Amino acid sequence: MEVINSFFSNIKDKLTNPYFGTLIIVLIIHHWELIFGVFNFDEGFTLDKKLEFVKNYILNNITWKSFLLDALQALIYMFIGYLIVVLTRSIVLFIEFGLMPFITGKIVNKNVVRRTEYDEVVKEREQYFDQYEEQRNYVRNFSKTIDEQTEQIKQKDENLLKQTNTISETIKKLDSTKQELESSKNENGKKSLQLDHLKSTVESLQKENSNYLEKVNGYENLYFNEKSKNFYSSVSKFPPEILSKVQELKNDEKWKAFLHLGQFFETGGSIGGELMTEMIKRDLAFEREKREDLTPLGKIIYRYKKVFEDYDERLLLLGK
């Protein structure tokens, strides 16, 4: 069964092949008498006469030379047929995509837009839309960054408020101590000298705390409010004390170490004890027993670190 199916499949492939189809047509045209004679014998012809007719026709008319000529003609006809197909298809495509759009553009109303122009406009619109979405995402991410920075500033304000409350509580405790000392002085006159000393100490502490609060508020209003950001955009805006401290850090190659300490106080992490001791000696950080934070001078330099990044006093003198 598979052999029969393969045989008929092979015949089908040969018949559907362009060349073999053309060859069959050429053979039918050149030898139509044989085909016509096979199907149109007279009634008096017997089978033997029919076979003899077919045999004589084949011997007299079908030779290797004639078959090769027929095969060559079939090849030529097939080539001509393909040329005609290519030529007609080219004419159709030229008329459909070249001549007709040209005529349409000349005759049809200007409000009618060709398909190619429409596709170009749609493509350009999609490009603009993609660019719009890209810029929109950029703005969204930028807004998110601003919100995060605002939240950090808010957290720092809360920390500052807590520190202020702590100082206020300390002042209250000092006032209470002062009252107790005054009461002890009235009760015991022998300790008047000690009480006077403690009183002066308390007053000195109150004065220091008061001065510290004033400095903190002053620094906050002068360097850390929103209006000061645009003003302090150049090193020429800062006093010499701050610039000399920045130059000192850079000359001693401690600038990056100071930035690392500032980042530690801002975001957390770990630092070495030597770094902390170094910055305490330079009056840029408080002692840990008192307070783990940058001094007001250190805060100012760290806040405007980008302004001081390329600062070099020697370059400024050369420029002058």
Side-chain angles (χ1 to χ4, degrees):
M1 188 66 180
E2 293 182 358
V3 175
I4 297 174
N5 291 333
S6 177
F7 174 75
F8 284 106
S9 177
N10 190 20
I11 292 176
K12 182 180 178 182
D13 292 338
K14 295 297 186 292
L15 291 176
T16 54
N17 186 283
Y19 175 74
F20 286 104
T22 306
L23 179 61
I24 291 172
I25 294 174
V26 170
L27 291 175
I28 291 174
I29 294 173
H30 287 177
H31 306 288
W32 63 271
E33 296 95 339
L34 176 62
I35 297 172
F36 181 80
V38 170
F39 294 100
N40 291 279
F41 284 108
D42 296 333
E43 294 181 358
F45 272 77
T46 61
L47 179 59
D48 293 334
K49 291 183 178 180
K50 293 179 181 180
L51 293 175
E52 185 179 355
F53 169 77
V54 172
K55 181 179 180 181
N56 292 330
Y57 185 87
I58 292 174
L59 291 175
N60 295 326
N61 296 284
I62 299 177
T63 61
W64 283 106
K65 182 179 180 180
S66 64
F67 183 78
L68 291 175
L69 291 174
D70 292 338
L72 181 61
Q73 290 183 9
L75 183 62
I76 295 172
Y77 292 152
M78 184 187 68
F79 180 73
I80 294 173
Y82 273 115
L83 286 179
I84 294 173
V85 170
V86 171
L87 181 61
T88 54
R89 184 61 179 171
S90 300
I91 294 173
V92 171
L93 292 175
F94 171 74
I95 294 174
E96 183 176 354
F97 295 101
L99 185 60
M100 291 305 297
F102 175 77
I103 296 175
T104 303
K106 295 295 184 181
I107 298 177
V108 179
N109 192 289
K110 294 182 179 179
N111 294 327
V112 178
V113 180
R114 288 185 295 180
R115 180 69 182 185
T116 55
E117 295 177 357
Y118 173 78
D119 292 338
E120 290 178 357
V121 172
V122 171
K123 184 177 179 181
E124 184 177 1
R125 185 191 64 182
E126 291 178 351
Q127 292 177 352
Y128 283 126
F129 181 77
D130 293 338
Q131 294 177 357
Y132 168 76
E133 287 296 327
E134 183 179 354
Q135 292 297 324
R136 185 178 179 183
N137 292 331
Y138 174 77
V139 172
R140 187 183 295 109
N141 294 332
F142 183 72
S143 177
K144 184 178 179 181
T145 303
I146 292 177
D147 293 338
E148 292 176 354
Q149 294 178 353
T150 303
E151 187 65 25
Q152 292 177 0
I153 294 173
K154 182 179 178 181
Q155 186 65 34
K156 291 181 180 179
D157 292 339
E158 292 177 356
N159 294 335
L160 180 62
L161 181 60
K162 290 180 181 179
Q163 294 175 1
T164 305
N165 293 333
T166 303
I167 294 173
S168 298
E169 292 177 358
T170 304
I171 293 174
K172 290 180 181 179
K173 291 179 180 179
L174 291 173
D175 291 338
S176 177
T177 304
K178 179 181 177 181
Q179 292 176 359
E180 292 177 358
L181 291 174
E182 289 178 353
S183 178
S184 298
K185 181 180 179 181
N186 294 329
E187 293 177 357
N188 191 356
K190 295 180 180 181
K191 297 181 180 180
S192 59
L193 295 176
Q194 296 179 356
L195 291 175
D196 291 338
H197 178 70
L198 290 174
K199 180 179 178 181
S200 62
T201 303
V202 170
E203 290 177 353
S204 177
L205 290 173
Q206 286 181 337
K207 186 177 180 180
E208 290 180 0
N209 280 284
S210 178
N211 292 334
Y212 177 75
L213 286 175
E214 291 179 0
K215 288 182 179 180
V216 170
N217 293 328
Y219 284 132
E220 288 293 324
N221 294 328
L222 184 60
Y223 292 99
F224 293 91
N225 57 19
E226 293 296 326
K227 295 181 179 179
S228 300
K229 289 182 178 179
N230 296 328
F231 179 76
Y232 292 103
S233 60
S234 173
V235 295
S236 61
K237 303 292 185 180
F238 293 88
E241 293 80 3
I242 296 177
L243 297 179
S244 63
K245 183 62 68 174
V246 173
Q247 189 63 41
E248 176 185 331
L249 291 171
K250 289 180 177 288
N251 292 339
D252 297 340
E253 297 182 354
K254 299 295 182 181
W255 176 250
K256 292 185 178 179
F258 169 74
L259 295 181
H260 180 63
L261 179 63
Q263 186 177 6
F264 165 75
F265 286 127
E266 183 178 11
T267 60
S270 62
I271 59 171
E274 296 180 357
L275 173 59
M276 189 69 180
T277 304
E278 178 70 22
M279 295 305 160
I280 291 173
K281 291 180 179 179
R282 295 177 183 270
D283 296 329
L284 294 175
F286 291 107
E287 295 183 2
R288 289 192 170 182
E289 292 80 7
K290 294 182 178 180
R291 179 182 176 191
E292 289 190 2
D293 198 357
L294 295 174
T295 62
L297 178 60
K299 286 185 176 181
I300 294 172
I301 296 175
Y302 184 76
R303 178 178 178 85
Y304 297 95
K305 56 183 178 294
K306 292 184 178 179
V307 179
F308 298 128
E309 188 68 33
D310 297 327
Y311 171 72
D312 193 330
E313 184 178 7
R314 292 169 296 180
L315 294 178
L316 291 179
L317 292 175
L318 290 174
K320 293 181 180 180

